[in-house]
Structures are given as structure tokens and as C-alpha cells.
Amino acid sequence: MNVLLIGGGGREHALAWKISQSPRLTKMFAIPGSPGIAEFAECVADISIDDNFAVVNFATEHAIDLVVVGPEAPLVNGLVDALNTAGIKAFGCTKDAAQIEGSKIFAKRLMKKYNIPTAEFEVFDDVDAAKNYIRSKGAPIVVKADGLAAGKGVIVAQTLDEALSAVDEMKTFGTAGNRIVVEEFMDGQEASVLALTDGETILPLKAAQDHKRALDGDKGLNTGGMGAYAPAPVVDENVAALVTEKILRPTIAALKAEGIVYRGCLYAGLMIRDGQPKVVEFNCRFGDPETQVVLPLLEGDLLDLMNSCATGTLADKKLSWSDQSAVCVILASGGYPKSYRKNLPIDGVTKAKSLGALIFHAGTKFANDELVTSGGRVLGVTVTAQNLREAVDKAYRCVDVIHFADMHFRRDIAARALN
Ligand code: AMP
Ligand code: GLY
């Protein structure tokens, strides 16, 4: 099969790495790809992933059998619809289905209508009404912008003052902040369960735990994710069964009842308390960095599974898993998620690989044949080992040989699971 991968982050590098192992793969292209993805795919940097017309043309001209869409933006932008209209198969959901991530209000209303466990909420387009509601509920309380805001449109307010100023802050998120969701605060442990689905059959992947805050001890600002590990012990067999029966299955069925066939990866961000999972959010794609720890544990042919998702033939597929643990430590630019320097030379990637790490590139580029930083999250250092303790220790040994100026990472990835 000829494959076109859309995206260029750490998640897409992990996808490219796994897809490259498939005996069904003939040739892989990536738009835009990255220096890491270039090991597995021909990277095409002069087409924008937001340009559906150009991507469809490229796929047609290169006889692509399956387009794999990594990030949410092109899904929300209807890329899969455009590909399907042109008769090209794609792994990823349609524009209608992507509302589950693209609009928090769509997701919350769907969950309410179909009794899928999540926090109580109200929707406001008026600032004063939102503030009055917040005053009536008290803190802690959660304020969210409606649309995509690159993970930054959520404020978990511990005090009433914080919540009230959060409402004003939402206005800074452009159209995403026009409507505001105010939500009950949920206490508990977070975990991410990603599932492959063809709209009928649902195959949940091993649960992972992300580390969203920038600093150790879950301090500092929210980021795209500073590290992850899998499997996450908080999702034991009982919780996993509840996630499938009370969340994943009803959600796919709810979408279907609304006339939407969901194909691709459904990501359930969960809060788990006393063994009961509730939905924090849905994403319409693989998680990043979760993908960087989940795929190394998956045995078998990811391309074949993705093709089955796209063609509605997942029913006869099974997943098999390594019994190891995986840990990913994200190396970020100092200052991220706020402003940071770029174009800083990166040393030690080859050394870290020789120590057994998988290095997934998130924000790198080549400048005069030298690998340099080009984003907030720069590299994901992933290690698998017999157990979580060994994986953590080995991951940090690999991290210690990598260097770039201002490099920042968390020292406590998976610490909670080890305690
Ligand atoms: P979201 O973008 O909706 O996933 O929110 C980002 C982060 O905010 C989540 O990963 C949680 O850590 C936190 N969060 C969101 N909603 C809630 C909630 N209702 N209760 C507690 N924490 C929340
Ligand atoms: N790791 C969080 C996300 O992918 O949205």
C-alpha cells in the first residue's frame, strides 16, 4: 500500500515508525513530515495540511491507498470528507465527527443526551450570565472556551476570583472563546484511553497517562503534554471494562444515532475516582505524547488495523500487546508553553538511540545539515522495559545524553504510578 501521513509532530513520527514495520507498506509520503519521519517517508514540505484541495491532488497523483491524518485541525477542516469524495481512503474521522473535539459544546450535549458520564455543565454566550452562574456555584470550577484553542482554552479555577477572570480571559481566544462552557470540577486521576474504531467495532488501546503541566509535581502552565507512560495502572481491568461499556460504546452509538459514522481514533480523556471513569474531553485523533508510549507496546500491523478502520472491516481484528511498560519524556524548549528560542543545535540523539531509546521528533529541523530546535516540544524520548521502574530509569539515562541550550523536561514522569 502507498500511504500518505499528514502531520509532523512526535505523534506522527511514532505513527510513521509503526506503519513502516507493516509488511503491507509499499511507500510512505508525509506532509509536511519532519527530520525524524524522513527516515521512513518522503517528506513533502510545500503543501499545507490545511489545503484539502492540494492534499487530495497529491494523493491522487501518487496513487495513495490510505491517507493517515494525525492532527485534529485537518480533521475538523474536513480533509477526510474531501478525500472520500475523491474516492481516496483515509484513517481519520469526518468533519461532522470531529466536532467531538472541535466543539466542547457539541461533545457535552452529546454526552448529556446519551447519559455518558461527564461533569455537569452550562453553556454561555453572555459574560455576565456566566459570571452569575459561577457565583451561584462557587469554586473550584472549570471554565472552557468552545472551539479549538491548542489545549490552552481551559482554566481550572481554584477560587471564585480566578473563575471570574477566566471568563474575561476566554475572550482572548478569538472565535473559540465566543461561547463559554462552565463545568463542575472533577477530582481524581486522569488517564487517556484511545480506541480504534470503524464506526461499529471498537478496539481500545492500552491506557496511558499524560503529564500536562510544564513543571514537576503538576505545577506550572498546561502544555500539550510533557511526558507519558503506559499502561496506566489506574485503568485496571474493571475500569477498562467500564470505559468500554459506559463511554466508548455509547459514544460511537450516540454519534451513529445522530447520523455520524465515526471512523479512526477516538481519544477519551478520563477522570477516574473510586474506580468510576468520567469523560473530561474527547479528541478525534491519537494523543500526543500518549501515542509515543502506546504504539511501542502494540504488537502487530498498525497499517492493517488503520485500513480496516477506514474500510469498516475491523470486526475480525484483534489487538495483541507486549507485557512491557513504556515511558516517554518530552524534551522541550526552555520557556515553553510561553515564548522560547529556536534554531538551537541538538546533540546526543544518536547516542541516546544507541542506549535503546526511541527518539520521536516533535519540533526539530535541519539547518545546514545540523539538527536544531524548531518548536516548543522538541523531542520525545521513549523507552520500553520489563516494568515501569526500569523504563523510567532507562528513559532518564537516555535523556541525560541529549543536550540543547535551554532544554527543559520533567523529572517526575510516571512518579505517581511508581508510588
Ligand atoms: P481539556 O482540554 O478539556 O482536556 O482540559 C484540559 C485539562 O484541564 C484536563 O486534562 C484536566 O486536567 C483539566 N480539566 C478539564 N476539565 C476538568 C474538570 N471538569 N474537572 C477537573 N479538571 C478538568
Ligand atoms: N496529550 C494530550 C492530547 O493529545 O490532547
Side-chain angles (χ1 to χ4, degrees), residues 150-332:
K152 291 161 199 147
V154 174
I155 293 173
V156 181
Q158 294 301 335
T159 66
L160 199 55
D161 279 350
E162 242 182 286
L164 295 174
S165 50
V167 172
D168 294 321
E169 234 174 277
M170 287 302 146
K171 290 288 154 196
T172 63
F173 292 116
T175 51
N178 280 350
R179 287 200 296 176
I180 297 165
V181 181
V182 180
E183 234 179 68
E184 168 202 2
F185 171 79
M186 293 185 286
D187 207 2
Q189 274 225 59
E190 282 188 74
S192 312
V193 174
L194 285 54
L196 300 177
T197 179
D198 62 358
E200 289 288 341
T201 301
I202 300 165
L203 297 179
L205 308 182
K206 290 260 183 199
Q209 199 161 47
D210 184 11
H211 297 60
K212 289 210 164 89
R213 302 294 197 97
L215 307 176
D216 284 10
D218 291 329
K219 302 263 177 358
L221 294 171
N222 257 325
T223 70
M226 293 298 294
Y229 64 93
V234 61
V235 182
D236 59 20
E237 237 171 83
N238 289 335
V239 173
L242 288 174
V243 171
T244 302
E245 293 315 319
K246 296 208 176 287
I247 294 171
L248 297 173
R249 220 179 275 294
T251 301
I252 296 298
L255 287 163
K256 203 170 169 196
E258 299 289 319
I260 297 170
V261 178
Y262 192 106
R263 288 181 169 171
C265 180
L266 178 65
Y267 167 136
L270 306 167
M271 192 68 82
I272 298 151
R273 191 183 186 182
D274 302 330
Q276 297 296 319
K278 285 188 180 181
V279 177
V280 177
E281 63 164 349
F282 283 117
N283 292 320
C284 62
R285 35 99 192 151
F286 283 99
D288 198 1
E290 289 93 330
T291 304
Q292 302 184 46
V293 287
V294 171
L295 292 186
L297 301 178
L298 178 66
E299 289 171 345
D301 187 341
L302 180 65
L303 178 55
D304 186 57
L305 290 164
M306 288 177 145
N307 190 55
S308 290
C309 290
T311 53
T313 55
L314 205 56
D316 59 344
K317 303 286 174 184
K318 290 238 166 0
L319 301 181
S320 76
W321 295 97
S322 136
D323 58 8
Q324 296 204 314
S325 293
V327 170
C328 171
V329 180
I330 297 292
L331 307 183

Side-chain angles (χ1 to χ4, degrees), residues 72 101-102 104 145-154 170 173 176-177:
E72 61 276 17
E101 173 167 4
K104 299 226 184 263
D146 180 39
L148 292 179
K152 291 161 199 147
V154 174
M170 287 302 146
F173 292 116

